[in-house]
Amino acid sequence: MTGCDFVATGSWAVTSPPVSGNVTQDFVDAELSDGSCPGVIFPFAVINYTWTNASLANPQDQFDATWSTSDVGESSHYVLDLGTIATTSVDLKVGSAGVTIVGPDGDTGKVEFDFSGTVNAAPIKSSAPYASGSATLTIDRNQIKAGTYSNLETRWLASKPPVTSVFPQATPWNVLGVVRYSQYNTPTESGCAGASADVFVVKITDKKGKTTCTFTPATMVDSFLSQTDINGTGSSTGYGLVKPGGITRMNSCPLPWPQGATTDNSYVQVSSVTGKCNKPLVAGTSVATMPVNCGEELLLVDSANANYGNKIGADRCPACSRIHIDSYANTQTCGGHDNVDLGNFWTLRTN
């Protein structure tokens, strides 16, 4: 080429191929990169590198190639920085992952999270692209479906194939997914109406290894009694918390009992509301499950990926499953389930 006249396109020959990719020749029409001959388009022979080894441990590749025409040739050695991503931490309790990215200057790409274990969750992409450096990325936990996950593969999508890293979790993440939380409470007699029934209220005391039982004839609202039978504990108007005699140690009461008294029509006074796990229920914290997992600690996350609160397994819910959990509330109603649902929450078991 003299001045701005076209002379030759030239061609490429690879003299030492790359290890982790392949090269191909192509042709493009473009202006000169140094700005000379503005507006004049020339055909250029170009060489393209495609990275093919996604599991590459070394973030570099290299090759030698020669560009030549009929009367000139020029050989070059090329070193390519391919990039890496390392996952340094994962915390599903807050929904974050720490990553360190090393890549060519100016390259950016979204980060993709892929949980694997008993099931494989759908990949979750970051909302923004990231360049080289360290960052703490948000994981949208609502996108992780129910399953037990032992690995998190993180991919930086700046290249094809993406650079990847795997974060192994020593104690697998136990994800329940999105769970419906209903609410139940201790039936309260003052909220009940209707006919009444004759019962016995029993006070059991132990002193010096001796059990003493005091039977007191009483009248309680029949609907309250039926709800107490279903829920296991009720809050009576005149006698405080009571439990149906058949689920207490009433049978240890010395005989004779008052005439007509049975475990079916007797209610034992108790000091606290306890669930199937024999632990006092705490409103807003205790939950009933099926199967019963006493002491199970659950983290609830709302639809905006914000932590809602923690729950602890303490009771049995025959109608529940792992996609339905009953949360204990302190509402004062006659029915044990006269409550609106707490809501649907993505749930992680944390112990």
Side-chain angles (χ1 to χ4, degrees):
M1 183 178 70
T2 60
C4 292
D5 297 329
F6 171 73
V7 176
T9 299
S11 62
W12 287 94
V14 177
T15 56
S16 178
V19 174
S20 300
N22 55 54
V23 291
T24 57
Q25 181 174 267
D26 200 357
F27 298 92
V28 297
D29 294 327
E31 295 184 26
L32 294 174
S33 60
D34 63 2
S36 58
C37 299
V40 180
I41 303 299
F42 299 99
F44 291 90
V46 297
I47 193 166
N48 298 319
Y49 172 89
T50 301
W51 181 37
T52 59
N53 186 359
S55 61
L56 183 65
N58 186 342
Q60 284 190 336
D61 201 2
Q62 53 188 314
F63 66 92
D64 296 312
T66 298
W67 177 82
S68 61
T69 65
S70 60
D71 58 356
V72 67
E74 182 178 343
S75 297
S76 298
H77 177 71
Y78 296 95
V79 177
L80 306 174
D81 293 317
L82 304 179
T84 61
I85 184 170
T87 307
T88 56
S89 64
V90 181
D91 190 349
L92 287 189
K93 292 181 181 180
V94 297
S96 68
V99 300
T100 299
I101 298 171
V102 177
D105 290 343
D107 279 13
T108 64
K110 290 188 176 183
V111 174
E112 189 171 70
F113 302 104
D114 199 346
F115 289 87
S116 61
T118 57
V119 297
N120 292 326
I124 305 168
K125 287 184 181 179
S126 64
S127 58
Y130 290 84
S132 289
S134 296
T136 300
L137 278 63
T138 297
I139 300 176
D140 184 357
R141 291 165 289 182
N142 281 278
Q143 295 190 45
I144 309 173
K145 64 183 180 181
T148 302
Y149 301 102
S150 54
N151 290 291
L152 171 61
E153 181 177 291
T154 306
R155 296 187 283 267
W156 186 42
L157 306 181
S159 62
K160 294 182 179 181
V163 290
T164 66
S165 68
V166 175
F167 184 93
Q169 177 71 359
T171 302
W173 297 288
N174 191 337
V175 175
L176 275 61
V178 177
V179 176
R180 172 199 165 206
Y181 284 84
S182 55
Q183 293 191 94
Y184 74 110
N185 61 285
T186 300
T188 304
E189 188 178 12
S190 61
C192 298
S196 297
D198 294 329
V199 296
F200 289 92
V201 175
V202 184
K203 182 178 181 180
I204 302 176
T205 57
D206 294 294
K207 187 175 182 179
K208 296 182 178 180
K210 182 180 180 179
T211 299
T212 301
C213 298
T214 302
F215 287 77
T216 302
T219 300
M220 295 183 185
V221 179
D222 191 59
S223 58
F224 165 72
L225 296 173
S226 63
Q227 287 295 315
T228 300
D229 291 341
I230 293 172
N231 285 271
T233 308
S235 178
S236 69
T237 300
Y239 299 92
L241 296 173
V242 294
K243 295 181 76 70
I247 61 172
T248 68
R249 59 190 186 93
M250 181 178 162
N251 281 323
S252 67
C253 290
L255 299 174
W257 294 354
Q259 185 176 359
T262 68
T263 55
D264 292 332
N265 64 4
S266 297
Y267 292 82
V268 176
Q269 292 178 293
V270 294
S271 59
S272 61
V273 181
T274 56
K276 188 69 174 178
C277 299
N278 294 319
K279 298 289 186 180
L281 299 183
V282 179
T285 299
S286 300
V287 292
T289 59
M290 179 56 86
V292 181
N293 293 296
C294 296
E296 178 181 39
E297 297 176 5
L298 304 174
L299 169 66
L300 278 60
V301 176
D302 66 19
S303 59
N305 200 34
N307 289 355
Y308 175 84
N310 297 280
K311 304 285 186 181
I312 298 177
D315 205 357
R316 176 178 179 267
C317 171
C320 292
S321 64
R322 298 305 278 175
I323 59 173
H324 172 207
I325 289 175
D326 219 4
S327 180
Y328 184 64
N330 59 3
T331 50
Q332 306 295 306
T333 62
C334 182
H337 284 86
D338 294 341
N339 305 276
V340 297
D341 276 7
L342 185 64
N344 296 328
F345 298 92
W346 183 87
T347 304
L348 173 71
R349 179 168 182 169
T350 57
N351 67 342

mmCIF file of all heavy atoms in Angstrom, residues 124 139-145 177-178 301-306 344-347:
data_model
loop_
_atom_site.group_PDB
_atom_site.id
_atom_site.type_symbol
_atom_site.label_atom_id
_atom_site.label_comp_id
_atom_site.label_asym_id
_atom_site.label_seq_id
_atom_site.Cartn_x
_atom_site.Cartn_y
_atom_site.Cartn_z
ATOM 1 N N ILE A 124 -29.028 -19.086 38.822
ATOM 2 C CA ILE A 124 -29.447 -17.757 39.240
ATOM 3 C C ILE A 124 -28.397 -16.763 38.761
ATOM 4 O O ILE A 124 -27.227 -16.857 39.139
ATOM 5 C CB ILE A 124 -29.580 -17.672 40.774
ATOM 6 C CG1 ILE A 124 -30.528 -18.757 41.289
ATOM 7 C CG2 ILE A 124 -30.055 -16.290 41.206
ATOM 8 C CD1 ILE A 124 -30.480 -18.917 42.796
ATOM 9 N N ILE A 139 -27.512 -13.269 46.384
ATOM 10 C CA ILE A 139 -28.162 -14.453 45.817
ATOM 11 C C ILE A 139 -29.655 -14.352 46.100
ATOM 12 O O ILE A 139 -30.063 -14.241 47.257
ATOM 13 C CB ILE A 139 -27.597 -15.748 46.432
ATOM 14 C CG1 ILE A 139 -26.102 -15.875 46.164
ATOM 15 C CG2 ILE A 139 -28.339 -16.962 45.887
ATOM 16 C CD1 ILE A 139 -25.458 -17.075 46.830
ATOM 17 N N ASP A 140 -30.466 -14.375 45.063
ATOM 18 C CA ASP A 140 -31.917 -14.342 45.248
ATOM 19 C C ASP A 140 -32.371 -15.724 45.709
ATOM 20 O O ASP A 140 -32.589 -16.632 44.904
ATOM 21 C CB ASP A 140 -32.613 -13.952 43.944
ATOM 22 C CG ASP A 140 -34.121 -13.804 44.126
ATOM 23 O OD1 ASP A 140 -34.618 -14.052 45.242
ATOM 24 O OD2 ASP A 140 -34.800 -13.450 43.155
ATOM 25 N N ARG A 141 -32.527 -15.865 47.024
ATOM 26 C CA ARG A 141 -32.818 -17.180 47.596
ATOM 27 C C ARG A 141 -34.159 -17.745 47.172
ATOM 28 O O ARG A 141 -34.348 -18.967 47.161
ATOM 29 C CB ARG A 141 -32.712 -17.086 49.122
ATOM 30 C CG ARG A 141 -31.291 -16.873 49.610
ATOM 31 C CD ARG A 141 -31.236 -16.430 51.056
ATOM 32 N NE ARG A 141 -31.724 -15.060 51.236
ATOM 33 C CZ ARG A 141 -31.734 -14.430 52.409
ATOM 34 N NH1 ARG A 141 -31.315 -15.053 53.491
ATOM 35 N NH2 ARG A 141 -32.163 -13.186 52.495
ATOM 36 N N ASN A 142 -35.100 -16.883 46.815
ATOM 37 C CA ASN A 142 -36.412 -17.378 46.400
ATOM 38 C C ASN A 142 -36.346 -18.215 45.128
ATOM 39 O O ASN A 142 -37.285 -18.951 44.825
ATOM 40 C CB ASN A 142 -37.371 -16.202 46.201
ATOM 41 C CG ASN A 142 -37.924 -15.678 47.509
ATOM 42 O OD1 ASN A 142 -38.880 -16.222 48.051
ATOM 43 N ND2 ASN A 142 -37.310 -14.620 48.040
ATOM 44 N N GLN A 143 -35.248 -18.113 44.396
ATOM 45 C CA GLN A 143 -35.098 -18.898 43.175
ATOM 46 C C GLN A 143 -34.527 -20.290 43.432
ATOM 47 O O GLN A 143 -34.452 -21.107 42.507
ATOM 48 C CB GLN A 143 -34.206 -18.159 42.186
ATOM 49 C CG GLN A 143 -34.788 -16.849 41.679
ATOM 50 C CD GLN A 143 -33.979 -16.280 40.537
ATOM 51 O OE1 GLN A 143 -33.584 -16.988 39.615
ATOM 52 N NE2 GLN A 143 -33.707 -14.988 40.589
ATOM 53 N N ILE A 144 -34.129 -20.573 44.668
ATOM 54 C CA ILE A 144 -33.567 -21.884 44.986
ATOM 55 C C ILE A 144 -34.703 -22.797 45.448
ATOM 56 O O ILE A 144 -35.295 -22.588 46.507
ATOM 57 C CB ILE A 144 -32.494 -21.785 46.090
ATOM 58 C CG1 ILE A 144 -31.457 -20.715 45.741
ATOM 59 C CG2 ILE A 144 -31.809 -23.142 46.280
ATOM 60 C CD1 ILE A 144 -30.467 -20.444 46.860
ATOM 61 N N LYS A 145 -35.007 -23.815 44.683
ATOM 62 C CA LYS A 145 -36.118 -24.694 45.029
ATOM 63 C C LYS A 145 -35.711 -25.671 46.126
ATOM 64 O O LYS A 145 -34.531 -25.784 46.488
ATOM 65 C CB LYS A 145 -36.605 -25.442 43.796
ATOM 66 C CG LYS A 145 -35.591 -26.392 43.177
ATOM 67 C CD LYS A 145 -36.153 -27.022 41.918
ATOM 68 C CE LYS A 145 -35.144 -27.988 41.274
ATOM 69 N NZ LYS A 145 -35.685 -28.579 40.022
ATOM 70 N N GLY A 177 -37.504 -24.553 50.396
ATOM 71 C CA GLY A 177 -38.164 -23.834 49.323
ATOM 72 C C GLY A 177 -39.217 -22.882 49.867
ATOM 73 O O GLY A 177 -39.172 -22.466 51.027
ATOM 74 N N VAL A 178 -40.191 -22.535 49.041
ATOM 75 C CA VAL A 178 -41.257 -21.628 49.462
ATOM 76 C C VAL A 178 -42.325 -22.437 50.195
ATOM 77 O O VAL A 178 -42.891 -23.383 49.650
ATOM 78 C CB VAL A 178 -41.869 -20.884 48.266
ATOM 79 C CG1 VAL A 178 -43.018 -19.998 48.733
ATOM 80 C CG2 VAL A 178 -40.801 -20.039 47.571
ATOM 81 N N VAL A 301 -37.587 -16.210 54.683
ATOM 82 C CA VAL A 301 -37.173 -15.127 53.788
ATOM 83 C C VAL A 301 -38.381 -14.707 52.963
ATOM 84 O O VAL A 301 -39.071 -15.559 52.383
ATOM 85 C CB VAL A 301 -36.024 -15.587 52.863
ATOM 86 C CG1 VAL A 301 -35.657 -14.495 51.863
ATOM 87 C CG2 VAL A 301 -34.811 -15.993 53.696
ATOM 88 N N ASP A 302 -38.653 -13.406 52.898
ATOM 89 C CA ASP A 302 -39.834 -12.945 52.170
ATOM 90 C C ASP A 302 -39.555 -12.870 50.670
ATOM 91 O O ASP A 302 -38.448 -13.159 50.201
ATOM 92 C CB ASP A 302 -40.344 -11.614 52.727
ATOM 93 C CG ASP A 302 -39.372 -10.457 52.512
ATOM 94 O OD1 ASP A 302 -38.486 -10.552 51.643
ATOM 95 O OD2 ASP A 302 -39.499 -9.443 53.229
ATOM 96 N N SER A 303 -40.580 -12.487 49.906
ATOM 97 C CA SER A 303 -40.472 -12.492 48.450
ATOM 98 C C SER A 303 -39.481 -11.460 47.929
ATOM 99 O O SER A 303 -39.060 -11.527 46.771
ATOM 100 C CB SER A 303 -41.852 -12.243 47.827
ATOM 101 O OG SER A 303 -42.386 -11.003 48.259
ATOM 102 N N ALA A 304 -39.101 -10.479 48.774
ATOM 103 C CA ALA A 304 -38.109 -9.476 48.386
ATOM 104 C C ALA A 304 -36.690 -9.907 48.757
ATOM 105 O O ALA A 304 -35.761 -9.098 48.706
ATOM 106 C CB ALA A 304 -38.438 -8.132 49.028
ATOM 107 N N ASN A 305 -36.529 -11.170 49.173
ATOM 108 C CA ASN A 305 -35.226 -11.728 49.549
ATOM 109 C C ASN A 305 -34.689 -11.151 50.852
ATOM 110 O O ASN A 305 -33.492 -11.192 51.127
ATOM 111 C CB ASN A 305 -34.200 -11.524 48.427
ATOM 112 C CG ASN A 305 -33.013 -12.473 48.529
ATOM 113 O OD1 ASN A 305 -33.154 -13.624 48.962
ATOM 114 N ND2 ASN A 305 -31.834 -12.010 48.151
ATOM 115 N N ALA A 306 -35.571 -10.607 51.687
ATOM 116 C CA ALA A 306 -35.179 -10.081 52.997
ATOM 117 C C ALA A 306 -35.554 -11.079 54.082
ATOM 118 O O ALA A 306 -36.591 -11.755 53.997
ATOM 119 C CB ALA A 306 -35.878 -8.742 53.266
ATOM 120 N N ASN A 344 -46.433 -16.853 52.717
ATOM 121 C CA ASN A 344 -45.524 -17.804 52.083
ATOM 122 C C ASN A 344 -44.101 -17.279 52.178
ATOM 123 O O ASN A 344 -43.835 -16.131 51.799
ATOM 124 C CB ASN A 344 -45.908 -18.021 50.609
ATOM 125 C CG ASN A 344 -47.273 -18.648 50.458
ATOM 126 O OD1 ASN A 344 -47.704 -19.433 51.298
ATOM 127 N ND2 ASN A 344 -47.973 -18.307 49.395
ATOM 128 N N PHE A 345 -43.194 -18.121 52.632
ATOM 129 C CA PHE A 345 -41.808 -17.706 52.828
ATOM 130 C C PHE A 345 -40.854 -18.789 52.343
ATOM 131 O O PHE A 345 -41.072 -19.979 52.610
ATOM 132 C CB PHE A 345 -41.521 -17.415 54.315
ATOM 133 C CG PHE A 345 -42.331 -16.298 54.883
ATOM 134 C CD1 PHE A 345 -43.559 -16.534 55.508
ATOM 135 C CD2 PHE A 345 -41.877 -14.989 54.800
ATOM 136 C CE1 PHE A 345 -44.312 -15.498 56.024
ATOM 137 C CE2 PHE A 345 -42.627 -13.943 55.326
ATOM 138 C CZ PHE A 345 -43.837 -14.206 55.929
ATOM 139 N N TRP A 346 -39.801 -18.355 51.633
ATOM 140 C CA TRP A 346 -38.696 -19.266 51.319
ATOM 141 C C TRP A 346 -38.031 -19.626 52.650
ATOM 142 O O TRP A 346 -37.803 -18.757 53.489
ATOM 143 C CB TRP A 346 -37.705 -18.585 50.391
ATOM 144 C CG TRP A 346 -36.567 -19.484 49.960
ATOM 145 C CD1 TRP A 346 -36.544 -20.325 48.905
ATOM 146 C CD2 TRP A 346 -35.271 -19.598 50.588
ATOM 147 N NE1 TRP A 346 -35.331 -20.974 48.818
ATOM 148 C CE2 TRP A 346 -34.531 -20.542 49.866
ATOM 149 C CE3 TRP A 346 -34.703 -18.999 51.714
ATOM 150 C CZ2 TRP A 346 -33.236 -20.891 50.195
ATOM 151 C CZ3 TRP A 346 -33.402 -19.358 52.055
ATOM 152 C CH2 TRP A 346 -32.676 -20.289 51.309
ATOM 153 N N THR A 347 -37.737 -20.916 52.837
ATOM 154 C CA THR A 347 -37.299 -21.393 54.151
ATOM 155 C C THR A 347 -36.019 -22.197 54.056
ATOM 156 O O THR A 347 -35.872 -23.071 53.183
ATOM 157 C CB THR A 347 -38.407 -22.235 54.803
ATOM 158 O OG1 THR A 347 -39.613 -21.460 54.885
ATOM 159 C CG2 THR A 347 -38.006 -22.681 56.196
#
